Amino acid sequence: MIIALDGMGGDHAPGEIIAGAIESLSAFNDIHIHIYGDEQKMAPFLQAHDRLTVVHCTEKIEAEDEPVRAIRRKKDASMVRMAQAVKDGEAAAGVSAGNTGALMAAGLFIVGRVPGIERPALAPTLPTIDGKGFVMLDLGANADAKPSHLGQYAVMGSIYTEKVRGIENPKVGLLNIGTEEGKGNELTKAAYDVLAEAPINFIGNVEARDLLTGVADVVVTDGFTGNMVLKTIEGTALGFFSMLKDVYTSSMKTKMSAALIKEDLRGLKKKMDYSEYGGAGLFGLNAPVIKAHGSSNANAIFNAVRQARTMAKHQVCETIRDTIGKGQTT
């Protein structure tokens, strides 16, 4: 299996991207990685490996580039070449830590949508207190959504959770302002009825305050709400650990306490780091495409490659295609 990797995307490219690729090759004997990027810039970080192929690209999509224009004009950009390899069947899946909007555009216009999917969704696995995690979608691919879109999100998230995360009959919840049926705005009220008829284990409405307790294995919402929830969780976690650091460095007594529980604190921080679960899948495309966090280190890239490999091995996109093709969400 070949995984296509954008070697120039992300804050720490290409060094951390290449390090993550090498780590992935060491862990998985059944994959080859084709890494796309500027050969000269990648050279200082490369190691000889019989399952790592460098594909030279002369262009790079920058963070400030307008997504659709960049995809159309920068034909030799590492992200575009990576997506084209997936489209052409040269690679089973693609991974990038680059410009999110550009990757979504590359997914739509190059890799292509599964027939019947109205809108692809951005779907990371977020942490829970028990360490199990939950899939949430959409987290920003589309700001607006229709009830039918949420129905398709629910089906795609359920298939992914069962096949990739190994959770049988996953619980699917609809993010709302209350748990009672009939709560919410026009979208959530109409979406409730759609999800209730979908081929999923729908448990009803769930509230944002319960997300980290593992109330559901899959949580569905529109991209505008989902993106705000994601950034709220990120900000809260960063703020909490910043306050914790202040407490444990405020005096000699607390510094001594911190030394005693240093490994426990490190474990807690790791549990709340969603990059440990992989990247955010672009669900609804013809092949697996994973968006790794822009600040990804080698470990985050490794987890994103692992996720892409698992999606390809378990034929997640094919199952979504078959399920949607039967018209079970309409």
Side-chain angles (χ1 to χ4, degrees), residues 90 235 295:
E90 296 173 7
S295 61

Side-chain angles (χ1 to χ4, degrees), residues 16-29:
E16 292 296 315
I17 311 299
I18 294 169
I22 298 298
E23 186 179 343
S24 302
L25 292 169
S26 298
F28 306 117
N29 294 324

Side-chain angles (χ1 to χ4, degrees), residues 139-319:
L139 264 64
N142 308 283
D144 299 308
K146 297 178 181 178
S148 58
H149 300 159
L150 298 192
Q152 292 188 342
Y153 297 167
V155 171
M156 292 191 292
S158 184
I159 290 170
Y160 173 84
T161 300
E162 188 163 348
K163 286 187 166 288
V164 176
R165 307 204 67 233
I167 299 174
E168 189 175 350
N169 199 29
K171 297 179 294 182
V172 181
L174 174 64
L175 187 64
N176 211 328
I177 58 173
T179 58
E180 304 88 352
E181 184 178 351
K183 280 277 192 177
N185 55 19
E186 290 183 11
L187 173 62
T188 53
K189 288 177 183 178
Y192 189 101
D193 295 333
V194 174
L195 268 63
E197 296 297 322
I200 56 173
N201 178 18
F202 180 49
I203 62 169
N205 294 321
V206 297
E207 294 187 79
R209 67 181 179 183
D210 297 322
L211 294 180
L212 299 189
T213 67
V215 64
D217 302 306
V218 180
V219 176
V220 177
T221 187
D222 62 275
F224 182 83
T225 305
N227 193 265
M228 287 199 297
V229 169
L230 171 66
K231 288 173 180 175
T232 299
I233 291 174
E234 284 183 320
T236 301
L238 288 170
F240 171 74
F241 283 109
S242 178
M243 290 187 290
L244 206 59
K245 183 178 179 180
D246 289 343
V247 168
Y248 279 109
T249 57
S250 61
S251 68
M252 184 58 68
K253 179 179 68 176
T254 56
K255 287 178 182 178
M256 291 174 64
S257 300
L260 293 173
I261 61 170
K262 183 178 179 180
E263 290 304 315
D264 301 280
L265 290 173
R266 188 170 292 159
L268 176 62
K269 189 173 183 179
K270 186 175 181 180
K271 182 187 287 189
M272 296 305 295
D273 182 4
Y274 68 85
S275 68
E276 291 290 329
Y277 298 89
L282 286 176
F283 290 178
L285 301 181
N286 284 317
V289 175
I290 305 299
K291 170 63 178 78
H293 200 286
S295 61
S296 289
N297 58 15
N299 185 56
I301 295 300
F302 163 77
N303 282 312
V305 171
R306 171 183 54 77
Q307 183 182 8
R309 169 184 174 271
T310 305
M311 283 187 71
K313 282 190 69 173
H314 290 277
Q315 298 184 313
V316 170
C317 297
E318 291 81 355
T319 304

Side-chain angles (χ1 to χ4, degrees), residues 1-203:
M1 179 192 301
I2 295 174
I3 305 293
L5 181 59
D6 174 10
M8 306 306 292
D11 300 338
H12 305 300
E16 292 296 315
I17 311 299
I18 294 169
I22 298 298
E23 186 179 343
S24 302
L25 292 169
S26 298
F28 306 117
N29 294 324
D30 59 347
I31 66 170
H32 288 67
I33 290 179
H34 289 186
I35 187 164
Y36 294 79
D38 186 318
E39 201 166 21
Q40 186 174 356
K41 291 181 179 178
M42 292 194 294
F45 307 99
L46 288 169
Q47 302 175 29
H49 198 292
D50 59 355
R51 288 185 284 118
L52 179 66
T53 300
V54 175
V55 181
H56 178 63
C57 302
T58 60
E59 295 178 293
K60 171 189 175 183
I61 292 179
E62 306 290 349
E64 63 273 11
D65 282 346
E66 195 284 319
V68 176
R69 186 179 296 113
I71 290 298
R72 289 176 173 167
R73 293 184 178 179
K74 293 185 174 182
K75 298 297 186 182
D76 200 43
S78 55
M79 183 188 291
V80 173
R81 296 281 302 278
M82 175 272 292
Q84 192 64 48
V86 176
K87 162 74 173 178
D88 294 342
E90 296 173 7
V95 176
S96 175
N99 183 315
T100 302
L103 186 63
M104 289 191 289
L108 277 172
F109 300 124
I110 300 176
V111 179
R113 278 183 294 178
V114 168
I117 290 292
E118 298 175 46
R119 299 274 185 88
L122 191 63
T125 300
L126 301 179
T128 54
I129 294 169
D130 62 6
K132 185 178 178 181
F134 69 99
V135 173
M136 189 170 178
L137 66 167
D138 175 27
L139 264 64
N142 308 283
D144 299 308
K146 297 178 181 178
S148 58
H149 300 159
L150 298 192
Q152 292 188 342
Y153 297 167
V155 171
M156 292 191 292
S158 184
I159 290 170
Y160 173 84
T161 300
E162 188 163 348
K163 286 187 166 288
V164 176
R165 307 204 67 233
I167 299 174
E168 189 175 350
N169 199 29
K171 297 179 294 182
V172 181
L174 174 64
L175 187 64
N176 211 328
I177 58 173
T179 58
E180 304 88 352
E181 184 178 351
K183 280 277 192 177
N185 55 19
E186 290 183 11
L187 173 62
T188 53
K189 288 177 183 178
Y192 189 101
D193 295 333
V194 174
L195 268 63
E197 296 297 322
I200 56 173
N201 178 18
F202 180 49
I203 62 169

